[in-house]
Amino acid sequence: MSRPLYRGFSGGGGGKDRCADEGRHYDPKEPSENGIGAGGCGTPARGRKRHLAAAAARIGVLVLAAAALVGSVAWAGSLYAGRGAAAAMAAASAHRGYRRLQEQLVTDLLDIGALAGGGLRSREAEACAAEYENHVPCYYNGSDAVDVSDLGGGVVISYERQCSREGRATCLVAPPRAYRTPVRWPSSKEFIWKDNVRISGHEFSSGSLFKRMMVEEDQISFPSDAHMSDGVEDYAHQIAEMIGLRNEFNFNEAGVRTVLDIECGFGTMGAHLFERDLLTMCIANYEASGSQVQITLERGIPALIGSFASKQLPYPYLSFDMVHCARCNIEWDKNDGIFLVEVDRLLRPGGYFVWTSSLHTHRALRDKENQKKWATIRDLANNLCWEILSQQEETIVWKKTNKRDCYSSRKSEPVLCARSHDPELPYYKPLNPCIAGTRSKRWIPIEHRTTWPSQARLNSTELDIHGVNSEVFGEDTSTWDSMVRNYWSLLSPLIFSDHPKRPGDEEPHPPFNMLRNVLDMNAHFGGFNAALLKSGKSVWVMNVVPINAPNYLPLIFDRGFIGVQHDWCEAFPTYPRTYDMVHADGFLSLEKRQKRRCSTLDIFLEVDRILRPELQDLLLLSSDGMPVYWILT
């Protein structure tokens, strides 16, 4: 059995590193033992050189040897599994499979070996300067060192995503000196370590309904519902009643599984709905400090940097069952309602748009300007064939029509998108003022869809919509069920997702989940996601469909999962240190077929940026069933 491979940094010394055992014990009562101190084990000194190229080459040789050993054992076992012609056929088949595995593995390792070639021979990847600790490429890169607290309270800077391959940082983004191993799920819902995120303290008084937190000496805690008069439980219950349900436990029965939460505060709504089998994607603008996305991910809740400023969000049309906006800072009445049109594009037929705002309260409507804004928004929603289901205090629930003929009876804009328009590929395209998806085969009302969790197992009719053969889909499902069992048998001694403690640790109070945030770089059908959930892992997966791969993102959303399109030659729209695991099955081969649009080093530096720097964080590659992975320290 292949053993896990550790990728350290130069100067780390030989033999067993004492750092592997120190600073790893999780106990909120003893934070000093859970941290990574300045200049200590977990964080390399500033400027220390880390030889990724040499490490990749050494790892390649070791993995190849391990793969050959495992493959040889499997092949030998098959030879003795039986006798006669059947045994000979089985042996021949095993031999062919083993040779194919070797060839594919060598190909992938050569791709990894590109790290040791080309321009990397003459230079080394070094740790970035301290001001890059929270660096997010493509967003306001020229002023990363600016402390927004110096700008004064209430200042809001609009950051538009602008990616350029010129001037990309070729250094490793190091964590803050006081960085600690993140608090594990589900405890992370209640508190996180203050030094793991960048905050200044003045920006928490506005925005989302649940943008509340308490900053203590070394922790940031999030008030529970018991101490909130307008707690999230009451709020979710109110929304359920407005839809016509008994309570929020009935959302799935009404066809609601995926929720897009715009400017989610710090993910309190998503954390609550997760316990009700709803999967919530938080999106918010890039924020240099006090980021909603960074803090939400630190809590173990899905989040992504996204903006309604000028581009479509990188999701296909008809993807979400509900879009939620509580006191978000979007002016829905501006630009001829184009932001509402984008919400309509993302909503499934029969889906809900929940808007909580003080704009349409009786007191606010005494102001003529507010009356004008509310009238504009109400008329725009009518033109989109949305129906107001209910209005209570500050909250309004609209329901998107599930009848296509509603659009033909309208006498005003927005118009329907032309047949030549392809909103299924929305990778940061300009916002489109037309109504999308009405001609799609995926135009199925949410109340007519298979409910969760059966939704994850698409039937043959549903697969036909995506042009996927049911046998191919079934084989993919079986393969990933087996692969996840294989992964966990190898990784459990390290990540302890299935075990209550690490060797040498005292028994902590369960549950104690070592993995929570998972990113799949090449998700395909979302099979890895499905297998993790089927095996009972308390994780969520960001399913990423590369723009140069077949676009199965609509299928992934139809399975009740979440994901995003992405060009891996650009930075992923997230903050540093936000994922516990990055999975990359078939990704290197995919990039190779594209004639190396960007260097392997650039991709690996980006993976290193988004992985959490702790013993349990890993890049997991898979080659024809053979897991190959790095543990990042």
Side-chain angles (χ1 to χ4, degrees):
M1 179 177 293
S2 61
R3 299 188 62 185
L5 304 174
Y6 291 79
R7 191 214 69 187
F9 48 85
S10 64
K16 182 178 179 180
D17 189 351
R18 66 179 180 85
C19 301
D21 296 321
E22 294 184 7
R24 303 300 181 188
H25 177 59
Y26 169 69
D27 187 349
K29 297 180 181 179
E30 302 178 13
S32 61
E33 296 185 16
N34 190 42
I36 301 177
C41 299
T43 307
R46 300 295 177 185
R48 180 175 291 175
K49 299 178 180 180
R50 300 174 68 183
H51 303 270
L52 275 179
R58 290 195 298 270
I59 288 171
V61 174
L62 291 172
V63 171
L64 183 59
L69 176 62
V70 173
S72 299
V73 172
W75 179 33
S78 69
L79 291 175
Y80 293 96
R83 299 178 181 276
M89 292 178 63
S93 176
H95 178 67
R96 287 193 298 271
Y98 169 53
R99 290 302 300 269
R100 186 175 68 253
L101 175 105
Q102 283 185 313
E103 292 168 0
Q104 182 62 48
L105 188 58
V106 169
T107 298
D108 284 353
L109 289 172
L110 288 175
D111 289 335
I112 297 173
L115 287 168
L120 206 67
R121 293 183 185 277
S122 59
R123 59 188 175 91
E124 297 165 333
E126 301 182 354
C128 300
E131 57 264 27
Y132 280 82
E133 288 175 353
N134 291 283
H135 178 66
V136 181
C138 304
Y139 293 93
Y140 203 54
N141 291 337
S143 303
D144 281 306
V146 172
D147 187 349
V148 296
S149 62
D150 296 336
L151 302 177
V155 175
V156 178
I157 301 176
S158 177
Y159 296 94
E160 183 71 16
R161 179 179 171 89
Q162 298 289 340
C163 284
S164 172
R165 296 177 190 173
E166 297 180 3
R168 288 185 65 163
T170 56
C171 55
L172 292 156
V173 176
R177 290 185 180 275
Y179 182 86
R180 300 181 178 190
T181 300
V183 179
R184 293 303 177 182
W185 181 269
S187 298
S188 58
K189 288 191 298 183
E190 305 301 328
F191 79 98
I192 60 176
W193 301 125
K194 183 179 70 174
D195 291 326
N196 286 12
V197 296
R198 186 179 184 185
I199 61 171
S200 60
H202 71 265
E203 62 276 276
F204 306 128
S205 59
S206 62
S208 166
L209 180 65
F210 300 108
K211 197 172 183 179
R212 296 186 179 92
M213 66 184 193
M214 296 175 59
V215 181
E216 303 172 19
E217 182 177 354
D218 62 348
Q219 300 177 10
I220 299 174
S221 59
F222 304 89
S224 64
D225 290 342
H227 304 292
M228 298 164 62
S229 59
D230 54 347
V232 65
E233 185 170 357
D234 290 340
Y235 179 67
H237 186 84
Q238 176 190 3
I239 294 173
E241 288 185 332
M242 294 172 73
I243 290 175
L245 307 175
R246 174 180 293 183
N247 55 49
E248 68 269 25
F249 289 95
N250 301 114
F251 274 128
N252 284 161
E253 297 176 13
V256 179
R257 160 65 179 170
T258 52
V259 179
L260 182 67
D261 196 358
I262 303 169
E263 295 187 15
C264 61
F266 300 129
T268 300
M269 184 72 168
H272 178 76
L273 293 180
F274 185 85
E275 303 300 327
R276 274 62 178 167
D277 281 334
L278 271 67
L279 192 56
T280 303
M281 170 82 83
C282 161
I283 61 164
N285 290 323
Y286 170 76
E287 298 164 286
S289 179
S291 164
Q292 300 172 69
V293 170
Q294 185 184 38
I295 293 175
T296 297
L297 284 164
E298 186 72 12
R299 296 181 69 187
I301 302 160
L304 201 70
I305 299 173
S307 172
F308 275 80
S310 62
K311 300 291 196 313
Q312 291 181 349
L313 295 173
Y315 314 117
Y317 56 58
L318 312 182
S319 292
F320 292 95
D321 306 313
M322 179 184 291
V323 175
H324 174 255
C325 163
R327 296 179 187 168
C328 57
N329 294 310
I330 297 176
E331 297 185 87
W332 300 108
D333 58 308
K334 300 297 184 183
N335 301 325
D336 298 322
I338 198 168
F339 302 139
L340 285 175
V341 175
E342 174 67 357
V343 170
D344 183 86
R345 183 183 73 84
L346 298 171
L347 271 177
R348 299 185 192 275
Y352 305 98
F353 177 50
V354 180
W355 183 39
T356 297
S357 170
S358 60
L359 174 68
H360 47 75
T361 61
H362 292 297
R363 177 179 296 180
L365 291 178
R366 295 172 186 171
D367 181 81
K368 290 185 178 180
E369 185 64 26
N370 288 340
Q371 291 178 19
K372 182 179 178 182
K373 289 182 178 181
W374 167 235
T376 301
I377 294 171
R378 185 184 56 207
D379 292 344
L380 287 168
N382 289 335
N383 292 340
L384 289 169
C385 286
W386 293 1
E387 173 193 0
I388 291 184
L389 286 186
S390 180
Q391 179 174 355
Q392 294 183 15
E393 300 172 347
E394 296 184 347
T395 301
I396 295 179
V397 176
W398 276 282
K399 182 180 178 69
K400 178 177 175 176
T401 186
N402 54 23
K403 300 176 181 178
R404 303 185 208 222
D405 56 4
C406 174
Y407 300 106
S408 60
S409 63
R410 297 173 307 131
K411 297 181 180 179
S412 57
E413 295 184 342
V415 299
L416 300 182
C417 293
R419 291 183 180 276
S420 58
H421 180 61
D422 185 15
E424 287 277 25
L425 300 171
Y427 188 70
Y428 295 108
K429 290 184 177 179
L431 288 170
N432 201 310
C434 62
I435 298 174
T438 58
R439 299 183 179 91
S440 172
K441 294 180 180 179
R442 296 177 58 235
W443 182 278
I444 303 172
I446 61 171
E447 55 266 31
H448 296 166
R449 288 183 173 272
T450 305
T451 57
W452 181 263
S454 299
Q455 180 180 4
R457 303 182 296 272
L458 299 181
N459 58 44
S460 58
T461 302
E462 293 165 330
L463 290 171
D464 285 343
I465 294 175
H466 302 278
V468 175
N469 182 279
S470 57
E471 293 183 3
V472 172
F473 184 80
E475 290 177 2
D476 182 81
T477 299
S478 299
T479 297
W480 282 113
D481 287 346
S482 175
M483 286 295 294
V484 164
R485 288 193 297 270
N486 188 19
Y487 288 167
W488 247 251
S489 68
L490 293 171
L491 301 179
S492 284
L494 295 168
I495 61 174
F496 274 79
S497 181
D498 293 333
H499 302 273
K501 66 184 182 68
R502 303 187 189 99
D505 285 352
E506 294 183 1
E507 197 82 15
H509 296 291
F512 192 76
N513 193 46
M514 302 305 296
L515 287 181
R516 174 62 179 171
N517 301 352
V518 177
L519 186 148
D520 195 348
M521 295 178 72
N522 184 27
H524 198 52
F525 297 150
F528 183 54
N529 189 161
L532 287 172
L533 296 183
K534 185 177 180 180
S535 61
K537 312 305 177 190
S538 183
V539 302
W540 66 270
V541 180
M542 182 69 75
N543 294 283
V544 181
V545 174
I547 62 169
N548 54 345
N551 183 22
Y552 290 117
L553 191 56
L555 181 149
I556 289 171
F557 272 98
D558 286 354
R559 297 187 73 177
F561 306 147
I562 56 174
V564 66
Q565 270 196 314
H566 184 61
D567 181 352
W568 281 109
C569 284
E570 297 179 356
F572 194 72
T574 192
Y575 290 80
R577 306 174 300 278
T578 46
Y579 286 90
D580 298 303
M581 174 189 283
V582 172
H583 181 248
D585 178 62
F587 177 75
L588 294 175
S589 299
L590 180 66
E591 285 297 320
K592 180 182 177 183
R593 290 197 296 270
Q594 298 298 318
K595 298 182 179 180
R596 304 194 187 281
R597 299 176 303 118
C598 50
S599 74
T600 311
L601 174 63
D602 288 336
I603 296 173
F604 273 65
L605 286 173
E606 176 61 8
V607 170
D608 187 90
R609 183 183 72 86
I610 65 181
L611 274 171
R612 286 171 166 171
E614 51 184 292
L615 184 63
Q616 291 76 36
D617 292 342
L618 52 96
L619 166 63
L620 181 58
L621 305 170
S622 178
S623 176
D624 244 5
M626 173 62 65
V628 182
Y629 51 92
W630 281 301
I631 305 296
L632 303 185
T633 57

